[in-house]
């Protein structure tokens, strides 16, 4: 509907996790120029406010990953190769004891 807001769209798409980053709204203005708006997600922001603008046709919404999510993914990517070695060693130890 024409009265839909950024928060409405995020909720319909599945909402956000506890650790989330900023929201980026990208849209074309009447002259075809790209407008980019960055703001902190706040579910309590009133409709039509700076942090919860009304949507227009063609808007793109991006919810960035927060710092906690970024850090946990880096740690997981770094430690994942070692988990296979540890599992193999544990299996070997269990079979030989």
């Amino acid at each position: 509907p024409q009265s839909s807001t950024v928060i409405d769209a995020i909720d319909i798409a599945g909402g956000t996790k506890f650790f989330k980053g900023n929201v980026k709204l990208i849209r074309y203005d009447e002259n075809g120029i790209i407008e980019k708006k960055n703001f902190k997600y706040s579910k309590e922001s009133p409709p039509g406010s700076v942090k919860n603008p009304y949507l227009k046709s063609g808007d793109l919404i991006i919810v960035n990953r927060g710092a906690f999510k970024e850090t946990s993914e880096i740690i997981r990517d770094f430690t994942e190769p070692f988990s296979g070695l540890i599992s193999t060693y544990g299996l070997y130890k269990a079979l030989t004891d």
Side-chain angles (χ1 to χ4, degrees), residues 28-96:
Y28 287 98
D29 70 7
E30 298 81 31
N31 299 319
I33 297 172
I34 296 175
E35 293 179 15
K36 295 179 184 178
K37 298 178 182 180
N38 291 301
F39 50 91
K40 193 168 194 80
Y41 177 86
S42 176
K43 189 150 179 92
E44 289 78 32
S45 296
S49 66
V50 174
K51 293 184 178 182
N52 190 17
Y54 291 109
L55 296 175
K56 295 181 180 180
S57 179
D59 283 354
L60 178 63
I61 303 165
I62 300 169
V63 179
N64 294 312
R65 295 180 290 192
F68 180 81
K69 178 75 170 170
E70 290 283 341
T71 303
S72 65
E73 286 182 4
I74 290 169
I75 292 169
R76 186 190 70 230
D77 290 346
F78 180 74
T79 59
E80 196 170 38
F82 300 109
S83 66
L85 293 173
I86 293 168
S87 297
T88 303
Y89 176 74
L91 178 62
Y92 170 76
K93 194 75 168 144
L95 293 174
T96 58

Side-chain angles (χ1 to χ4, degrees), residues 5-25:
T5 64
V6 168
I7 292 175
D8 294 336
I10 292 171
D11 287 345
I12 290 169
T16 62
K17 304 272 186 207
F18 180 70
F19 296 105
K20 60 199 165 295
N22 288 336
V23 175
K24 181 183 283 188
L25 173 64

